[in-house]
Amino acid sequence: MANKARYLVPGDYMADPAVHVFEDKLFIYPSHDWESGIPENDNGDHFNMKDYHVFSMDDPEGSVTDHGVVLDVKDIPWAGRQLWDCDVAYRNGKYYMYFPLKDRNDIFRIGVAVSDRPEGPFTPEANPMWGSYSIDPAVLDDGDGNFYMYFGGLWGGQLQRYRNNKALESAVLPEGDEPALCGKVVRLRDDMMQFAEEPRDVVILDENGKPLTAADDKKRFFEASWIHKYNDKYYFSYSTGDTHLLCYAVGDKPYGPFTYKGVILTPVVGWTTHHAIVEFKNKWYLFHHDSVPSGGRTWLRSLKVVELEYTADGLIKTIEGI
Ligand code: FUB
């Protein structure tokens, strides 16, 4: 497969993949795009998703099994609208799906739904996680009994409406030399249902050890957190949003700080770029999406996978999006 991307679900529009190896198979947890008829705007109202499917594969080059609808917005007691990028973690015989959804006040919160099986279906909790906000949860199983959630997203993702985990009177986006807004990381409670602590900033430093600024818009965090470990280092990867790059930064601890290292994927057709990085049978893969099959309609995205490679120094080799 090296460097030749493959579309995974040609019959439907799926985006924002989270991917994990459970029971020796690849399980994909995407957003489910559809033509809702809502006009495109900077708030992301056109991403009006209402359910999730799960997909599995025995091999990245093999057939893809669609396990059908595993969670529907109409079954979530606190739901307003817009099921965006989710992730799933496994602990002690249960699978926990974390999903962002607007509540009835149009505020993004993060919910949890539970299953006995990786392919679901998932049963949602009655309320969102206490103290949760914004979008794009991605969960790291650190292998020592600790699980960490990374989350956050600008613009429609509402991160600019918060400072120090408190809602502001009105949104403030930093500008110029001001430090860029950071994604968030929080350790999960042992029962996986709530945050165990206050979320902290995922600080990304430049090569001189200085936090990235708002003006570093080709490097700074925007949305789409993902985290993986390679050679005992923590690789935090993310989208730069309005500059359309997938980038990464490397650190020694789950809380960071992380040092910016480069571009994983150059811009794809479509506005958003979003991904998961996973090891399977000693090879590494980048799962992502683009809007080529829909003719560039940004809200109708299609899942892809391509092999990902590292240099001998542990740097990720840049993949061309187009
Ligand atoms: O799919 C809706 C939003 O678009 C996701 O939550 C973001 O990461 C971006 O892909």
Side-chain angles (χ1 to χ4, degrees):
M1 164 179 293
N3 291 330
K4 185 145 179 9
R6 169 191 175 201
Y7 284 104
L8 292 170
V9 187
D12 206 344
Y13 295 113
M14 300 281 164
D16 304 332
V19 183
H20 296 280
V21 180
F22 295 133
E23 301 181 346
D24 296 325
K25 290 185 189 182
L26 286 158
F27 279 87
I28 309 171
Y29 302 94
S31 305
H32 186 189
D33 289 353
W34 67 296
E35 185 56 89
S36 67
I38 295 180
E40 184 169 7
N41 60 28
D42 284 349
N43 198 39
D45 289 322
H46 47 305
F47 295 112
N48 190 30
M49 295 83 96
K50 54 186 172 43
D51 62 29
Y52 293 118
H53 284 230
V54 173
F55 298 86
S56 65
M57 307 164 80
D58 291 329
D59 187 271
E61 308 207 31
S63 59
V64 180
T65 302
D66 180 355
H67 297 279
V69 175
V70 300
L71 181 63
D72 194 304
V73 74
K74 69 176 166 22
D75 298 323
I76 300 171
W78 54 275
R81 62 182 180 132
Q82 294 184 296
L83 275 176
W84 284 12
D85 157 59
C86 70
D87 195 10
V88 169
Y90 170 77
R91 184 173 198 170
N92 293 340
K94 299 265 185 218
Y95 295 83
Y96 298 89
M97 173 179 274
Y98 300 94
F99 58 89
L101 174 68
K102 282 181 179 164
D103 64 16
R104 291 186 189 119
N105 295 316
D106 241 17
I107 304 297
F108 266 118
R109 310 289 306 276
I110 296 173
V112 194
V114 186
S115 179
D116 294 328
R117 298 286 312 149
E119 69 272 22
F122 290 86
T123 305
E125 292 292 292
N127 295 294
M129 299 173 87
W130 303 325
S132 67
Y133 58 94
S134 199
I135 60 166
D136 288 0
V139 176
L140 170 74
D141 174 356
D142 204 12
D144 62 355
N146 289 310
F147 288 73
Y148 299 89
M149 179 187 290
Y150 299 75
F151 67 93
L154 305 185
W155 295 17
Q158 302 182 344
L159 190 61
Q160 68 279 6
R161 298 185 182 186
Y162 298 84
R163 288 296 187 280
N164 302 318
N165 304 313
K166 302 274 182 304
L168 301 173
E169 287 284 328
S170 56
V172 182
L173 271 168
E175 291 178 5
D177 290 341
E178 292 173 344
L181 278 186
C182 294
K184 297 286 173 180
V185 53
V186 63
R187 192 168 59 78
L188 297 179
R189 228 168 55 181
D190 285 350
D191 67 3
M192 302 292 276
M193 297 305 224
Q194 302 292 346
F195 296 168
E197 59 186 0
E198 287 276 307
R200 309 176 192 199
D201 282 347
V202 178
V203 176
I204 303 176
L205 307 172
D206 67 14
E207 66 277 15
N208 301 312
K210 199 170 142 283
L212 295 181
T213 66
D216 291 320
D217 63 350
K218 292 196 169 143
K219 296 182 177 174
R220 58 91 176 96
F221 173 83
F222 188 101
E223 63 184 3
S225 297
W226 187 255
I227 183 90
H228 73 278
K229 286 165 84 173
Y230 180 73
N231 286 347
D232 290 329
K233 299 274 190 196
Y234 294 81
Y235 285 60
F236 176 69
S237 46
Y238 54 95
S239 164
T240 61
D242 55 344
T243 55
H244 315 291
L245 297 164
L246 280 183
C247 294
Y248 72 109
V250 177
D252 294 318
K253 295 184 299 235
Y255 291 120
F258 298 87
T259 301
Y260 177 85
K261 292 293 178 186
V263 172
I264 300 171
L265 182 72
T266 62
V268 297
V269 171
W271 199 96
T272 67
T273 186
H274 197 122
H275 69 302
I277 295 170
V278 65
E279 185 182 19
F280 188 69
K281 297 187 178 164
N282 300 318
K283 286 187 173 182
W284 286 87
Y285 296 92
L286 176 75
F287 288 77
H288 63 107
H289 67 225
D290 68 28
S291 296
V292 170
S294 72
R297 284 174 288 171
T298 58
W299 58 98
L300 297 177
R301 301 161 294 174
S302 294
L303 275 188
K304 298 175 88 170
V305 61
V306 66
E307 200 173 327
L308 174 142
E309 295 172 305
Y310 299 86
T311 67
D313 298 335
L315 298 176
I316 294 176
K317 294 187 186 174
T318 302
I319 296 168
E320 297 299 323
I322 300 176

